[in-house]
Amino acid sequence: MPRLPHRLPPTIPVKKSILVSRPANGHEVFIPQIRKLVFEYCDAWSSSANLRRYIFNHVESLARENPHVEVVVKERPSKHPIVRGFYLNNRDKVIGLKEFDVNQIQNKVQLLLDASGHKIVPLKRKTVVSTAESARGIWSGFHVQEPYRI
Amino acid sequence: MAGVFRFSSPSRLFGARLASSLAASPLDLLRSQPSHYIIASIVGHRHLLAPRDLLTIPRIHDARVGDRLLLSEVHELGSRDYTIRGDPILPASVVRVEATVVEHTKGRMERIVKFKKRKHYKKTVEHKQTYTRIRIGPFQIGTDIAPVETKNTQSYT
C-alpha cells in the first residue's frame, strides 16, 4: 500500500473554463434532437388528400416507432398542408406537402426525424469539428535543444 | 503484435511524467498519458480524431440516427510521448473506437449553371449534398476492450 509523502506538492490553480462541460451529444449517450412533429392538413382542399391518407394509414405506426417524438395532428383550414418539426435547440423546420405523394411525405418526415435542427450550412470544408486540444502538443521554438541563432 | 512503437527522446519531455521503467508494456505507457488521438480511415478518407469530435462524412444510408459504428481501420494510436502504428491497421486488441450517428443532413443548395454564349444553351442544376455526422466515442485501449459481438457488422470502407 503506497504511503502519501509528508508534504504534498502545491496545487495548481484550476481555470473555471476547465470545469465547464462542453456538449458532445452522442459521445457516451445519444439524445435525439427532434422533440415534436406537427402535421397540419385541411379537410376541404384536395391538396391535403395525400396527407390525410398518410395520417390515416401511417401516423400511428410512426409515433409508435419513434417514442421520443411527440406527434401532433392539427387542422389548418383553407391552407395547403405542411409538416413542422420542433427541435431541442428551439429551432423548427417547416416543409410544405402540397401535391406530395404518400411516399414523398414519408421521405420528408424521415428527413425531419434525422435532422438535428441546426441551420443548414455548407459542410464541404468542415470535416472534423473538435474541441479537444492536440494530444501531442504544439511545437515551440523556445523549447528546443538548439534554439535557432540569427 | 503488428505495429511500430515510437518513444520520443527525453529532452522533448518537459513537463511530462515518464514511466520509471521502460519494461512496462506499450499499452500501459500509452494509457498513462492524459490525452490520445487516432488516425483512422472512414469511408476511404484518413482523419486525425480525438474523443468527442464531430466528423462529417458522405451519407451512410444503412445506418440510422443513434446507431453505434465500430471504426475497423485504425492506422495509428498516439499520445504526447508514445505512438503505436499499425501495418497497415492496428489489431482489434490494441484499440477499440466507436462512433455514434448523430444526424443525417444535407448541405446548402448548390446551383451549377452551365452556359454557352450565343448558342442558346443554359442549364441550371440544383443540388444538395447529403452527409452523415458522427460523434467519436471514448478510446478503449488494450485490456479495457469489451468482447466484440459480430452479429450485425457492415463494412463502409
Side-chain angles (χ1 to χ4, degrees):
Chain A
M1 185 72 180
R3 270 187 291 171
L4 286 172
H6 292 289
R7 199 183 297 159
L8 291 171
T11 54
I12 304 163
V14 174
K15 272 195 227 175
K16 218 176 179 179
S17 60
I18 296 168
L19 301 173
V20 173
S21 72
R22 285 167 297 194
N25 187 28
H27 173 62
E28 298 263 20
V29 175
F30 173 67
I31 297 170
Q33 294 295 294
I34 182 162
R35 64 172 180 86
K36 184 152 97 170
L37 264 181
V38 181
F39 295 93
E40 299 186 22
Y41 69 98
C42 172
D43 259 333
W45 285 17
S46 57
S47 56
S48 293
N50 285 325
L51 179 59
R52 292 196 297 266
R53 196 168 302 128
Y54 176 85
I55 289 167
F56 191 75
N57 294 328
H58 295 107
V59 146
E60 249 182 280
S61 58
L62 172 83
R64 208 164 286 122
E65 281 160 25
N66 297 284
H68 55 279
V69 184
E70 178 191 344
V71 177
V72 175
V73 172
K74 203 167 143 181
E75 213 194 327
R76 194 172 183 233
S78 305
K79 288 269 171 36
H80 289 299
I82 58 169
V83 58
R84 281 184 215 268
F86 293 88
Y87 297 89
L88 295 180
N89 61 354
N90 293 327
R91 290 189 82 250
D92 65 336
K93 273 164 132 33
V94 183
I95 300 180
L97 302 174
K98 172 180 146 189
E99 291 162 19
F100 270 28
D101 296 336
V102 173
N103 287 332
Q104 289 172 311
I105 293 172
Q106 267 173 336
N107 290 340
K108 292 299 179 189
V109 167
Q110 194 58 46
L111 191 155
L112 289 177
L113 289 171
D114 290 340
S116 70
H118 288 110
K119 197 173 167 187
I120 299 289
V121 290
L123 288 173
K124 279 193 169 167
R125 307 270 181 267
K126 307 219 182 225
T127 319
V128 180
V129 176
S130 176
T131 52
E133 291 165 4
S134 81
R136 292 189 63 180
I138 298 170
W139 179 86
S140 161
F142 296 110
H143 300 98
V144 290
Q145 246 181 335
E146 291 282 335
Y148 182 75
R149 294 186 184 286
I150 302 165
Chain B
M1 83 183 85
V4 169
F5 181 62
R6 168 189 74 85
F7 168 54
S8 63
S9 61
S11 58
R12 224 195 119 233
L13 300 175
F14 88 104
R17 275 190 307 118
L18 238 193
S20 54
S21 151
L22 288 179
S25 83
L27 292 182
D28 286 334
L29 289 169
L30 264 168
R31 236 184 277 117
S32 69
Q33 304 247 276
S35 57
H36 306 90
Y37 69 91
I38 57 164
I39 293 180
S41 281
I42 299 171
V43 200
H45 290 276
R46 288 166 68 101
H47 303 284
L48 196 151
L49 301 168
R52 308 172 78 97
D53 283 357
L54 185 64
L55 180 65
T56 307
I57 50 176
R59 176 74 68 93
I60 298 176
H61 297 278
D62 302 330
R64 303 188 64 177
V65 169
D67 285 353
R68 290 191 79 85
L69 310 176
L70 176 67
L71 305 190
S72 54
E73 284 192 5
V74 179
H75 301 288
E76 193 172 313
L77 164 69
S79 64
R80 193 191 187 283
D81 302 311
Y82 313 106
T83 309
I84 275 190
R85 207 176 297 151
D87 183 28
I89 60 173
L90 290 169
S93 54
V94 171
V95 66
R96 179 185 165 90
V97 184
E98 288 184 344
T100 308
V101 176
V102 171
E103 71 169 320
H104 290 307
T105 184
K106 293 187 192 179
R108 211 157 63 175
M109 180 73 86
E110 293 162 25
R111 278 178 189 86
I112 302 149
V113 179
K114 303 188 184 191
F115 175 76
K116 286 190 204 280
K117 57 185 176 186
R118 297 185 298 276
K119 307 300 170 200
H120 204 267
Y121 175 75
K122 185 178 175 186
K123 213 195 284 188
T124 311
V125 177
E126 287 188 338
H127 166 69
K128 276 186 183 173
Q129 188 67 21
T130 52
Y131 299 101
T132 297
R133 304 194 96 183
I134 61 174
R135 178 79 66 181
I136 308 297
F139 297 166
Q140 296 172 50
I141 302 172
T143 52
D144 306 337
I145 294 171
V148 179
E149 293 171 26
T150 52
K151 205 165 59 166
N152 295 317
T153 50
Q154 170 103 35
S155 165
Y156 295 118
T157 49

